[in-house]
Amino acid sequence: MTETNAFQMVVSRIDAICDKLKVKDAYRLRLEKCERELIVHFPVKMDDGQVKVFTGYRVHHNDTRGPAKGGIRYHPDVTLDETRALAALMTLKTAVVNIPYGGAKGGVACDPIAMSQNELERLTRRYASEISLLIGPERDIPAPDIGTNPQVMAWIMDTYSMNKGYSVLGVVTGKPIGLGGSKGRFEATGRGCIICAQLAGKHLGINLEGAKVAVQGFGNVGSVVARLLVREGSKIVAISDVKGSIYNEKKLDVEAVFRYSRQTGSVVDFKDAENITNAKLLALPCDILIPAAIENQIVKANAPDVKAKIIVEGANAPTTPEADRILSDNGVFVVPDILANAGGVVVSYFEWVQDLQAFFWSEDEVNRQLETVMHNAFREVLEMSQSEKVDMRNAAYMLAIKRIADAMEARGIFP
Ligand code: NAD
């Protein structure tokens, strides 16, 4: 197994926890495999008249606890292995925060930044048709991930509804508010990260007010985290995106960076900051580090350089198992992805509930319910970590796997 074999990395963590919890082999074997894996190759007419064939995936890891739930990623590096890994993380995430879902993920290997809106719409509608045999409000509910957004969800909802002959709001979450979306969904992942940062800080005696924070990635998750942290009085000293990183030892003007990056397409060369490398950002002296970009950013080679006291994993799988051991030995408190970035799926769950009931909540109500779910999950993981003397990631995996194994036991295996 290499450090970048994504699904194997998740399975090795699941295996270790199954050993510790003495989970029955029948249940462990189910968690080591994905239940359904669909690969689709489909044509899309590009604006210049050429036809390109794209490859997409939809994977259900496990749906013991409820319908499969997970995002759709548009990125050139999307693979079946990565999709399986992200689907498995969704099974664990929905169990950690105790919402009635299983785990799924999907994606298309494409470069959405290089495509026009019309091309993206054609790609999305064709992909939605291809995976329509798996998705549906009672079986699998996609949501946005890297490279997708509320507009993409609206196209999927429309394509699915056209084939049904009536509007099916609950088939995807993360939709525009005017189309059955939930208030608070767009900020939910970042808001969940902030709640975790607050609770981790409280546990370690670090106040968010005045805390120095570095944020890797400035998309949906990273930009919301940075902007909400400023409201808490934190000092954002570094921000990055795929093109580079910027640093100001005192603090960055996050709103100005946000406007600048939306105008120029990157944070790089922002006037009141120094350009630094991604490696330097991860190694900055700061209180909190928030990886909110992509997988495998904190690895064996750079983990010893991390100086942050707390890591809140906004991204999925930013830390490899080998890096985890090094961070743990160095006393870094890691709030793992399956807890830290679960705010998004929690509010997706609220959106689905609102769609099914055709009754919509106020933003205050959404945020209040999110607080309750995240507080409970953080407390349960911390208690598990203290009683079992394990780090927060192992504790979160233990809590999740116990819940899934209990559900498997209750359902039984036929015949
Ligand atoms: P996004 O596409 O909106 O933003 C990704 C950001 O990361 C961009 O700023 C991009 O430039 C940057 N980036 C990409 N590669 C990078 C690199 N090598 N170094 C530094 N920056 C890089 O995506 P997002 O929705 O913000 O998702 C970010 C992460 O959070 C992903 O791991 C995703 O799976 C996870 N996540 C997202 C949600 C959600 O609700 N959007 C929920 C849970 C988890």
Side-chain angles (χ1 to χ4, degrees):
M1 182 181 73
T2 68
E3 253 200 314
T4 50
N5 187 336
F7 185 56
Q8 260 317 309
M9 263 192 254
V10 182
V11 168
S12 71
R13 282 181 167 138
I14 290 175
D15 260 343
I17 299 304
C18 286
D19 283 344
K20 198 169 167 65
L21 292 175
K22 300 192 171 41
V23 168
K24 285 184 186 166
D25 272 353
Y27 305 156
R28 174 205 298 254
L29 291 171
R30 289 174 66 186
L31 290 173
E32 284 175 354
K33 295 267 187 285
C34 293
E35 284 173 358
R36 285 171 211 100
E37 303 178 342
L38 177 65
I39 305 177
V40 294
H41 307 285
F42 57 96
V44 178
K45 194 181 260 184
M46 308 307 278
D47 289 345
D48 64 4
Q50 250 188 40
V51 173
K52 279 195 185 167
V53 174
F54 289 87
T55 299
Y57 310 91
R58 188 70 190 167
V59 170
H60 294 176
H61 173 254
N62 188 281
D63 60 7
T64 303
R65 298 180 69 256
K69 184 88 188 85
I72 289 176
R73 180 173 290 198
Y74 288 174
H75 192 277
D77 299 339
V78 164
T79 61
L80 178 60
D81 182 66
E82 179 194 73
T83 311
R84 285 176 177 148
L86 293 168
L89 288 178
M90 287 305 297
T91 306
L92 298 164
K93 195 180 298 183
T94 51
V96 169
V97 290
N98 213 2
I99 55 177
Y101 284 140
K105 204 79 183 187
V108 179
C110 65
D111 183 1
I113 298 167
M115 294 171 71
S116 72
Q117 279 295 99
N118 285 335
E119 288 171 339
L120 275 178
E121 177 171 357
R122 289 195 289 272
L123 176 138
T124 299
R125 289 186 181 280
R126 186 69 195 234
Y127 170 66
S129 292
E130 297 289 340
I131 63 167
S132 64
L133 61 153
L134 286 189
I135 65 175
E138 59 297 294
R139 56 167 87 152
D140 172 7
I141 307 110
D145 190 68
I146 293 179
T148 57
N149 56 28
Q151 177 60 72
V152 172
M153 295 306 116
W155 289 327
I156 296 177
M157 176 269 170
D158 184 64
T159 306
Y160 185 85
S161 299
M162 274 163 49
N163 287 313
K164 287 284 170 193
Y166 51 89
S167 295
V168 186
L169 295 180
V171 65
V172 281
T173 57
K175 298 181 295 298
I177 303 274
L179 193 65
S182 175
K183 292 190 172 139
R185 172 61 185 92
F186 190 76
E187 302 81 18
T189 307
R191 198 174 284 281
C193 290
I194 302 293
I195 297 169
C196 288
Q198 269 165 341
L199 295 170
K202 195 167 162 201
H203 173 61
L204 299 175
I206 297 170
N207 202 332
L208 283 196
E209 193 175 344
K212 285 193 170 183
V213 185
V215 182
Q216 185 199 39
F218 204 49
N220 175 338
V221 180
S223 67
V224 172
V225 167
R227 296 169 93 185
L228 290 180
L229 275 171
V230 170
R231 286 196 219 155
E232 299 296 323
S234 305
K235 294 176 186 164
I236 311 297
V237 292
I239 294 178
S240 72
D241 60 35
V242 69
K243 295 188 180 154
S245 315
I246 54 169
Y247 175 55
N248 180 323
E249 189 192 6
K250 295 209 174 73
K251 67 174 176 182
L252 292 162
D253 178 345
V254 172
E255 287 305 318
V257 176
F258 185 75
R259 284 193 301 275
Y260 173 82
S261 74
R262 286 331 178 237
Q263 276 160 14
T264 64
S266 173
V267 298
V268 173
D269 290 337
F270 179 69
K271 60 180 168 35
D272 295 323
E274 149 194 7
N275 288 334
I276 59 168
T277 60
N278 185 44
K280 189 163 174 199
L281 177 137
L282 296 174
L284 283 175
C286 59
D287 299 296
I288 305 175
L289 171 64
I290 312 221
I294 51 168
E295 296 85 15
N296 298 329
Q297 294 304 296
I298 306 172
V299 297
K300 189 180 170 188
N302 64 7
D305 304 333
V306 171
K307 295 177 196 70
K309 301 180 188 88
I310 299 173
I311 294 179
V312 180
E313 292 185 336
N316 284 311
T319 312
T320 64
E322 283 169 310
D324 247 346
R325 281 187 279 280
I326 297 167
L327 295 174
S328 176
D329 288 348
N330 291 348
V332 183
F333 187 87
V334 179
V335 186
D337 47 7
I338 58 171
L339 172 62
N341 68 38
V345 73
V346 170
V347 177
S348 271
Y349 165 56
F350 298 159
E351 180 175 329
W352 180 72
V353 168
Q354 293 171 76
D355 288 338
L356 295 183
Q357 297 186 337
F359 181 73
F360 290 86
W361 309 353
S362 70
E363 189 160 352
D364 280 352
E365 177 69 5
V366 170
N367 290 342
R368 206 170 47 76
Q369 298 271 8
L370 173 64
E371 285 261 340
T372 305
V373 173
M374 293 303 298
H375 272 254
N376 285 342
F378 190 96
R379 179 181 44 74
E380 287 177 304
V381 173
L382 186 61
E383 280 171 7
M384 179 72 86
S385 145
Q386 288 169 331
S387 66
E388 296 296 321
K389 301 193 178 13
V390 294
D391 64 22
M392 290 287 279
R393 187 177 327 270
N394 279 299
Y397 271 61
M398 287 173 77
L399 188 64
I401 290 173
K402 187 167 180 342
R403 284 188 175 140
I404 300 161
D406 286 350
M408 286 179 178
E409 179 75 21
R411 283 181 66 157
I413 295 173
F414 181 80

